[in-house]
Amino acid sequence: MNVPTTRETPVTTGATVWLTGLPSAGKTTIAYELAGRLRAEGHRVEVLDGDEIREFISAGLGFSRADRHTNVQRIGFLADLLARNGVKALVPVIAPYADSREAVRKRHQESGAPYIEVHVATPVEVCSVRDVKGLYAKQAAGELTGLTGVDDPYEEPESPDLRIESQNQTVQESAAAVHALLSERGLA
């Protein structure tokens, strides 16, 4: 009798991994690196990229506190739905307000879906040098206001499940740290 391998039978334990941090902190890059590793192990994975969500699910929302909260709750609902259905939902989203992130955590607790909060704690000075989307340059030139961590608040998580200082390690090392936490919790 042949026992199926992991690659033949998908791993169906779902979970949400929320990567929060400043713009250009490395959240999305880490999420995609982790996604590749998890898929190679047979996990079902979706990356809920904040930019894509804003374009397709939260179109029309601005960047006021209320709109940011609504955006985070929509993403949290979708992540919980995926996690409850056996998918690893990797969520690289700024989510600047602690109360919004806490509401997402509570939703997961109520549904029983595993939830891990990862703070990609890259300093604003490093993020502004990376400036993947040119946001820091636009803010410095006076073309943009409301940039999280510069002229709009970012409330750092007080007790994340994992804190990553991406400026001190490679993307692969950062993804490996998240993977190790998932493994410790029986989710990878």
Side-chain angles (χ1 to χ4, degrees):
M1 180 170 159
N2 288 339
V3 177
T5 65
T6 303
R7 291 184 199 277
E8 294 170 357
T9 305
V11 179
T12 58
T13 302
T16 293
V17 178
W18 196 288
L19 297 104
T20 180
L22 297 175
S24 296
K27 303 175 300 296
T28 302
T29 305
I30 294 166
Y32 278 107
E33 179 70 25
L34 178 61
R37 182 172 180 170
L38 290 168
R39 285 185 184 115
E41 295 172 354
H43 296 269
R44 295 167 50 197
V45 180
E46 288 296 333
V47 176
L48 302 180
D49 184 294
D51 292 333
E52 292 176 358
I53 297 290
R54 273 207 173 266
E55 181 179 352
F56 296 107
I57 294 177
S58 294
L61 288 180
F63 291 91
S64 68
R65 185 180 179 107
D67 281 358
R68 288 177 190 253
H69 180 77
T70 298
N71 185 50
V72 168
Q73 296 318 297
R74 287 177 183 176
I75 298 167
F77 171 81
L78 185 54
D80 180 59
L81 180 68
L82 289 168
R84 287 185 285 119
N85 284 281
V87 177
K88 300 285 188 302
L90 308 182
V91 187
V93 174
I94 295 168
Y97 300 110
D99 60 341
S100 296
R101 294 189 307 265
E102 186 54 35
V104 171
R105 180 185 294 276
K106 183 174 248 179
R107 171 185 292 283
H108 282 73
Q109 287 171 340
E110 290 169 359
S111 77
Y115 178 85
I116 293 174
E117 183 179 71
V118 177
H119 180 205
V120 183
T122 311
V124 70
E125 300 79 19
V126 174
C127 295
S128 66
V129 170
R130 290 179 180 171
D131 204 10
V132 177
K133 298 173 197 160
L135 299 175
Y136 293 93
K138 287 180 183 175
Q139 193 277 335
E143 300 169 16
L144 175 74
T145 59
L147 181 58
T148 302
V150 177
D151 60 351
D152 210 49
Y154 177 74
E155 299 170 357
E156 290 193 7
E158 290 183 17
S159 54
D161 297 287
L162 179 64
R163 179 181 164 95
I164 292 175
E165 295 181 3
S166 71
Q167 73 280 10
N168 296 329
Q169 58 193 37
T170 66
V171 172
Q172 294 77 16
E173 290 168 335
S174 295
V178 181
H179 189 275
L181 180 59
L182 286 167
S183 295
E184 285 173 21
R185 299 204 178 165
L187 300 169

